[in-house]
Structure formats: C-alpha cells, structure tokens
Amino acid sequence: MNDPARSPEEEGIRLQKVLAAAGLGSRRACEALIEAGRVSVNDALVTAQGRRVDPATDVIRVDTMRINTAPGLVYLALNKPRGYVTAMSDPEGRPTVGDLVADRPERLFHVGRLDAETEGLLLLTNDGELAHRLAHPSYEVPKTYLAEVLGPVARDVGRRLRDGVELDDGIVRVDSFRLVDSTANRVLLEIVLHEGRKHIVRRALAEVGHPVQRLVRTSIGPVQLGGQKAGKIRTLRREELAGVFALVGM
Ligand code: URA
C-alpha cells in the first residue's frame, strides 16, 4: 500500500540498488555514478544520494543510455534459421520461432517478421510498447540484409534501387546498396532499408532482375547478428538496448 504521507521519491527502491541490480557495478560504484551527475530519472538529473525509484515505470538513464530496470522485461536477439515461420505457433505444424524459445517462461512477441525462407536477426521481447514502436514504419528503423543473387549485376542496379523502383504497392527505395563479393555467377549484395513491407527485399531485387537465392538479415538499428549461430538466442547488450530505445524515442 502507498503511504499518503510519503512523496513518490520517498517510496520505491534506492536508485543505486536498482542500478547495481541492472549490472552497472557495486552499489558504491553506482553511488559514484550518481555523484558524478551521470544518472537521470525521468529525464531529470539526480546528483543527491537517497533517491528512490520504481524500477518498473521510471525511465533511468546513465550518460543518456536507457537502462532496463523493469523486472521481468526481456530483450532477445535470435538468429532465425531458414525454414522457420515467424510465429509463436503454427496451425499447420511447421517449425516456428516459438519452438526456439519454448523453454523461456516469458510471453514473448516477435518484432516484425522474416519470411520463412529468410534467415537472420529477429528481435523478441515481452515489452509490448517497444515491440509496437519497432514494428511501426514511422520510426524508420534501418535494417541490413545480405542477399545472394545470380550475377553478374549491372553497374546501375545500386543507383536504380537508391532512386526507387516501382512495385505493385508503391515505390521502394533502399538507403544503401553495396556489392560485397562476387564469384563466377553468384553475387553477394548488402542492402539497407528502413521499411518492412512483405517480401520487400525479394520483390525489390526481383524487379531489378536479380531474384534472391538466399537472404539474411544482419542488423536491426544498432543490433548486429555478428557470429551468432542459427537457432541461438542471446540477450541484447546494454548499449544495444539503449540504442534501440533511443531509435524509437523511449
Ligand atoms: N524482405 C524480404 O523479402 N523478406 C524478409 O524476410 C525480410 C525483408
């Protein structure tokens, strides 16, 4: 029960304890962060010790980096293998990303979708607000894809994709295009774009004459797939999560 005689700052858990629990160091070290003017609560700098917070609802930042202090909220990166449907379950019994997180206790949502045949980075979380914002086109989160296509690729393909190509449901423009590697007739392209229409990369490349043979998403905003193995899940690092929050204004 809330005590009406107490101000909100007098209730809750001590800020240094919350910071320490979030992995920022010992309580002493976290007091030093506060003392140094590096910590804010709900965008107000806190420099005095003794501040109490609600870790579930207060927005706590260190050096502008938002820290996840909410108990129970998880932010995961999965390397989705080819052949898995982006769904938590499938009525037709196909393998799903839900199968890959079946042993987790949280009720997770996938953030956006990858086609069953597409591999790579997929975020999963039980933070509904973040999932909603990340999937919303207005936040324009950049995503990077590696696409293997049949070559050779004409010199003007990058320019055409940057200028915009007409699809059935409107123009698509890529933010960047790079030829990463090419062998006799296989070419590896890197494409960055910030929209998420269905099959968008496959459709854009088919439109410029290069149907995709293999497609891997390698980054979403500040989160990189790196060397993560197919089917493996990891928790986002503090800097990655802060970067994701920043992208969507949280
Ligand atoms: N574009 C596609 O064509 N497929 C995906 O899975 C993601 C982006």
Side-chain angles (χ1 to χ4, degrees):
M1 279 282 280
N2 286 353
D3 179 348
R6 289 177 152 216
S7 71
E9 284 74 22
E10 290 170 314
E11 291 180 353
I13 304 173
R14 283 182 181 274
L15 181 55
Q16 69 269 37
K17 187 174 175 189
V18 171
L19 289 170
L24 279 118
S26 66
R27 285 194 204 174
R28 229 1 258 127
C30 293
E31 282 171 6
L33 288 175
I34 297 169
E35 181 117 8
R38 295 175 59 187
V39 182
S40 69
V41 176
N42 301 330
D43 292 325
L45 205 62
V46 176
T47 48
Q49 305 297 337
R51 173 65 187 268
R52 287 173 183 269
V53 295
D54 179 348
T57 56
D58 287 328
V59 174
I60 297 168
R61 298 183 203 272
V62 175
D63 297 335
T64 72
M65 204 168 68
R66 181 162 172 181
I67 307 298
N68 172 28
T69 59
L73 286 188
V74 295
Y75 304 90
L76 306 171
L78 166 70
N79 182 353
K80 186 186 93 62
R82 192 173 192 156
Y84 279 69
V85 178
T86 307
M88 299 320 281
S89 65
D90 182 53
E92 294 171 36
R94 294 170 296 180
T96 69
V97 301
D99 302 340
L100 300 169
V101 292
D103 58 348
R104 300 220 41 130
E106 307 88 8
R107 189 168 166 270
L108 294 167
F109 318 104
H110 49 85
V111 178
R113 280 199 157 71
L114 289 176
D115 303 335
E117 291 315 304
T118 302
E119 303 152 58
L121 187 60
L122 185 72
L123 302 183
L124 295 144
T125 180
N126 55 355
D127 181 340
E129 175 66 17
L130 183 75
H132 174 75
R133 290 193 186 205
L134 274 176
H136 200 277
S138 64
Y139 289 104
E140 304 202 333
V141 176
K143 299 173 196 96
T144 308
Y145 296 87
L146 274 179
E148 190 182 302
V149 299
L150 297 181
V153 172
R155 293 176 80 90
D156 67 344
V157 163
R159 183 188 50 73
R160 285 171 65 197
L161 286 164
R162 277 191 293 261
D163 287 352
V165 295
E166 187 82 39
L167 302 176
D168 289 348
D169 53 356
I171 289 177
V172 57
R173 280 188 192 84
V174 306
D175 300 330
S176 79
F177 171 94
R178 189 165 72 89
L179 195 148
V180 176
D181 194 19
S182 77
T183 57
N185 61 351
R186 299 251 154 187
V187 179
L188 197 58
L189 304 173
E190 185 189 77
I191 282 182
V192 181
L193 79 177
H194 58 262
E195 66 153 289
R197 272 180 283 163
K198 202 167 178 185
H199 307 318
I200 193 72
V201 174
R202 292 175 193 277
R203 289 192 290 141
L205 285 170
E207 188 60 31
V208 293
H210 295 285
V212 167
Q213 310 296 303
R214 184 175 174 203
L215 187 61
V216 182
R217 181 156 67 191
T218 56
S219 77
I220 300 173
V223 186
Q224 307 277 337
L225 183 63
Q228 195 176 332
K229 298 249 173 9
K232 293 282 180 241
I233 293 149
R234 67 177 179 87
T235 299
L236 293 194
R237 286 188 291 278
R238 187 181 305 136
E239 296 74 15
E240 291 175 321
L241 182 59
V244 168
F245 277 133
L247 266 179
V248 297
M250 283 175 77

